[in-house]
């Protein structure tokens, strides 16, 4: 499968508040994860799918938080992909600090302002597939914040550019 080129995305979500019944309770933290197993599933209704390692932080989070987002990374955002793919990394709060992002109007999740495209989704279905969970989400919002450059690709274990 390393011979199949894949686009690279940043999947994000905001943890639910620690106490949803208390309006003064602190909001949950933002979480992010690099993914290469992301694809369009359907145009009508608009559905997309991401594959998450079972038991990963994002898998656990999306099991309880139905709203999430995806920023499709541009070729000059390799550093972002690497940052959110690190094992044993520092807290996500620190990883987001140096990035230019806005909060999604529907999901509340971080969306990169210079991504090729940004989507907000609501989980419609979760399917266990081996050691992964396929999360199928309905696209609620979609925008194209940046039209510069090409997509960031992952091929044979490395990040690549088109051409």
């Amino acid at each position: 499968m390393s011979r199949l080129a894949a686009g690279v995305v940043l999947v994000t979500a905001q943890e639910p508040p620690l106490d949803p019944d208390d309006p003064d309770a602190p909001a949950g933290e933002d979480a992010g994860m690099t993914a290469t197993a992301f694809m369009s599933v359907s145009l009508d209704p608009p559905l997309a799918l991401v594959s998450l390692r079972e038991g990963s932080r994002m898998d656990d989070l999306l099991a309880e938080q139905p709203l999430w987002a995806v920023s499709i990374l541009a070729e000059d955002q390799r550093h972002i992909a690497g940052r959110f793919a690190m094992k044993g990394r520092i807290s996500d709060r620190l990883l987001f600090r140096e990035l230019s992002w806005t909060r999604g109007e529907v999901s509340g999740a971080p969306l990169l302002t210079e991504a090729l495209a940004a989507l907000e989704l609501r989980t419609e279905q979760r399917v266990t597939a081996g050691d992964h969970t396929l999360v199928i989400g309905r696209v609620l919002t979609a925008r194209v914040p940046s039209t510069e450059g090409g997509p960031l690709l992952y091929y044979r274990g490395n990040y690549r550019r088109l051409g």
Side-chain angles (χ1 to χ4, degrees), residues 36-131:
T36 57
F38 177 77
M39 62 181 280
S40 172
V41 173
S42 168
L43 291 177
D44 188 19
L47 300 174
L49 172 150
V50 66
S51 179
L52 306 172
R53 186 175 39 82
E54 191 173 75
S56 66
R57 180 176 183 212
M58 191 61 71
D59 182 39
D60 292 345
L61 176 54
L62 294 191
E64 66 175 302
Q65 168 59 281
L67 297 171
W68 46 288
V70 170
S71 295
I72 298 175
L73 299 182
E75 60 193 358
D76 63 351
Q77 294 177 313
R78 177 185 301 212
H79 65 288
I80 296 171
R83 169 186 294 202
F84 283 91
M86 287 187 299
K87 293 184 192 293
R89 64 186 190 222
I90 59 176
S91 78
D92 286 1
R93 180 175 29 87
L94 296 175
L95 296 177
F96 282 112
R97 184 181 297 163
E98 298 174 4
L99 300 177
S100 175
W101 58 274
T102 61
R103 198 160 293 286
E105 61 192 60
V106 176
S107 67
L111 292 165
L112 298 177
T113 58
E114 297 177 7
L116 287 182
L119 311 168
E120 292 182 277
L121 304 98
R122 177 186 306 276
T123 299
E124 295 257 320
Q125 188 175 4
R126 293 173 54 87
V127 178
T128 301
D131 61 357

Side-chain angles (χ1 to χ4, degrees), residues 116-163:
L116 287 182
L119 311 168
E120 292 182 277
L121 304 98
R122 177 186 306 276
T123 299
E124 295 257 320
Q125 188 175 4
R126 293 173 54 87
V127 178
T128 301
D131 61 357
H132 277 65
T133 303
L134 306 178
V135 181
I136 301 168
R138 180 180 295 257
V139 178
L140 303 174
T141 68
R143 66 176 203 248
V144 181
S146 175
T147 57
E148 298 298 316
L152 181 61
L153 299 177
Y154 193 73
Y155 177 71
R156 296 186 74 185
N158 291 301
Y159 295 114
R160 311 281 179 145
R161 296 172 175 232
L162 279 179

